[in-house]
Amino acid sequence: MKMYASNSLRIAICDDEKEIRNNIERNIRLIYEDVTIVQFSDGKTLLAYTEQIDILFLDIQMQPIDGMETARELRKAGNRMTIIFVTAIEEYVFQAFDVGAFHYLVKPIEQVKFFEVLRKAVEEQKSVKRKGMREEPCIAVKKGAMTQKIFLCDIFYLEVFNRKVIAHKTDGEIEFYGKLVELEESLGSDFVRCHRAFIVNLRYVLKYDASSITLENGVNIPLAKPKYAEFVKEYMKYTSSLIQR
């Protein structure tokens, strides 16, 4: 089988079953021989690891900390690794998107699908590394005396409620005083005003109809009738741009 260069990525495997960990490692080695691979039998040990991890294969059903909680803690700590959940239960799929998961593999893992997801994850990480020190686009918001940075790629959607803006992110929510109309200009073309009280990030749109938008985390937000045509136009433009990238 052909070996692919991976620019010395570090890939972690966290699963409480040693046989599964070893099987995932063997499959990785079949196409990427130069990666560093580290194994963990539980989330607690993973969270204590201090080296940078680029790609993480993470089981969900573990003790004492399950995979979802482990992923939330990683995101809270600022870890932006590519997370691929591995589990026998499909019902966790929407929760996986809540923590910004890259993909979701169901046990027993089909090898062709595994290779497909792995290659895409490696390409994503190589793209991130090519950007070097260039930081992801972000906005700075004021919370009292503190100014906080929010990366745009982490935002599912923004809504306004009682004069406050709520940023719904992959790792939770942030509230701050502001106006959506003032934010629109700084958010960029991936964000669209779909309702007087909502701005949506197109990268997380799963589906839509004439009155609502469903996001990848399972949340439904309203799509106002006067905004429908403009939303469809921008969404089509966005999906076309993905094909060209």
Side-chain angles (χ1 to χ4, degrees), residues 16 41-45 59-67:
D16 56 6
S41 60
D42 59 78
K44 187 175 181 180
T45 308
D59 184 26
I60 291 179
Q61 293 178 291
M62 297 186 297
Q63 297 293 334
I65 308 172
D66 67 27

Short mmCIF file of all heavy atoms in Angstrom, two decimals, residues 16 41-45 59-67:
data_model
loop_
_atom_site.label_atom_id
_atom_site.label_comp_id
_atom_site.label_asym_id
_atom_site.label_seq_id
_atom_site.Cartn_x
_atom_site.Cartn_y
_atom_site.Cartn_z
N ASP A 16 -10.67 2.64 25.86
CA ASP A 16 -10.39 1.77 27.01
C ASP A 16 -10.15 0.31 26.61
O ASP A 16 -9.83 -0.53 27.46
CB ASP A 16 -11.51 1.85 28.05
CG ASP A 16 -12.88 1.53 27.47
OD1 ASP A 16 -12.96 1.14 26.29
OD2 ASP A 16 -13.87 1.70 28.20
N SER A 41 -5.60 5.00 27.60
CA SER A 41 -6.69 4.07 27.94
C SER A 41 -7.88 4.76 28.58
O SER A 41 -8.92 4.13 28.79
CB SER A 41 -6.17 2.97 28.87
OG SER A 41 -5.66 3.53 30.07
N ASP A 42 -7.75 6.06 28.92
CA ASP A 42 -8.87 6.78 29.53
C ASP A 42 -8.68 8.29 29.32
O ASP A 42 -7.58 8.77 29.03
CB ASP A 42 -8.99 6.47 31.02
CG ASP A 42 -7.73 6.83 31.80
OD1 ASP A 42 -7.54 8.03 32.08
OD2 ASP A 42 -6.94 5.92 32.10
N GLY A 43 -9.77 9.02 29.48
CA GLY A 43 -9.76 10.46 29.25
C GLY A 43 -8.91 11.22 30.25
O GLY A 43 -8.30 12.24 29.91
N LYS A 44 -8.88 10.75 31.49
CA LYS A 44 -8.11 11.44 32.53
C LYS A 44 -6.63 11.49 32.18
O LYS A 44 -5.97 12.52 32.33
CB LYS A 44 -8.32 10.74 33.87
CG LYS A 44 -7.70 11.47 35.05
CD LYS A 44 -8.05 10.77 36.36
CE LYS A 44 -7.43 11.52 37.55
NZ LYS A 44 -7.76 10.85 38.83
N THR A 45 -6.09 10.38 31.69
CA THR A 45 -4.68 10.33 31.30
C THR A 45 -4.42 11.22 30.10
O THR A 45 -3.40 11.91 30.03
CB THR A 45 -4.27 8.88 30.96
OG1 THR A 45 -4.64 8.02 32.05
CG2 THR A 45 -2.77 8.78 30.73
N ASP A 59 -12.72 7.49 21.88
CA ASP A 59 -13.88 6.67 22.23
C ASP A 59 -14.82 7.50 23.11
O ASP A 59 -14.38 8.37 23.86
CB ASP A 59 -13.41 5.42 22.98
CG ASP A 59 -14.55 4.47 23.30
OD1 ASP A 59 -15.56 4.48 22.57
OD2 ASP A 59 -14.43 3.73 24.29
N ILE A 60 -16.11 7.23 23.05
CA ILE A 60 -17.07 7.98 23.85
C ILE A 60 -17.38 7.28 25.17
O ILE A 60 -17.38 7.90 26.23
CB ILE A 60 -18.38 8.22 23.06
CG1 ILE A 60 -18.11 9.20 21.91
CG2 ILE A 60 -19.47 8.78 23.97
CD1 ILE A 60 -19.31 9.48 21.04
N GLN A 61 -17.61 5.98 25.12
CA GLN A 61 -18.01 5.25 26.32
C GLN A 61 -16.78 4.77 27.11
O GLN A 61 -16.26 3.68 26.90
CB GLN A 61 -18.89 4.07 25.94
CG GLN A 61 -20.24 4.52 25.37
CD GLN A 61 -21.09 3.35 24.95
OE1 GLN A 61 -20.78 2.66 23.99
NE2 GLN A 61 -22.16 3.11 25.70
N MET A 62 -16.32 5.64 28.01
CA MET A 62 -15.16 5.33 28.86
C MET A 62 -15.46 5.77 30.29
O MET A 62 -16.35 6.58 30.52
CB MET A 62 -13.90 6.05 28.35
CG MET A 62 -13.43 5.66 26.98
SD MET A 62 -11.84 6.46 26.56
CE MET A 62 -12.33 8.21 26.59
N GLN A 63 -14.68 5.25 31.21
CA GLN A 63 -14.75 5.63 32.62
C GLN A 63 -13.35 6.05 33.08
O GLN A 63 -12.36 5.57 32.53
CB GLN A 63 -15.25 4.44 33.46
CG GLN A 63 -16.66 3.98 33.14
CD GLN A 63 -17.70 5.02 33.50
OE1 GLN A 63 -17.49 5.85 34.38
NE2 GLN A 63 -18.83 4.98 32.81
N PRO A 64 -13.21 6.93 34.05
CA PRO A 64 -14.27 7.62 34.79
C PRO A 64 -14.82 8.85 34.06
O PRO A 64 -15.84 9.39 34.44
CB PRO A 64 -13.57 8.02 36.08
CG PRO A 64 -12.15 8.26 35.65
CD PRO A 64 -11.88 7.24 34.59
N ILE A 65 -14.13 9.29 33.02
CA ILE A 65 -14.59 10.44 32.24
C ILE A 65 -14.90 9.95 30.83
O ILE A 65 -14.05 9.35 30.17
CB ILE A 65 -13.51 11.54 32.16
CG1 ILE A 65 -13.00 11.92 33.54
CG2 ILE A 65 -14.04 12.77 31.43
CD1 ILE A 65 -11.81 12.87 33.51
N ASP A 66 -16.13 10.18 30.35
CA ASP A 66 -16.46 9.69 29.01
C ASP A 66 -15.84 10.60 27.94
O ASP A 66 -15.29 11.67 28.23
CB ASP A 66 -17.97 9.55 28.82
CG ASP A 66 -18.73 10.87 28.82
OD1 ASP A 66 -18.14 11.91 28.48
OD2 ASP A 66 -19.92 10.87 29.17
N GLY A 67 -15.92 10.15 26.70
CA GLY A 67 -15.27 10.87 25.61
C GLY A 67 -15.81 12.26 25.37
O GLY A 67 -15.06 13.18 25.03
#
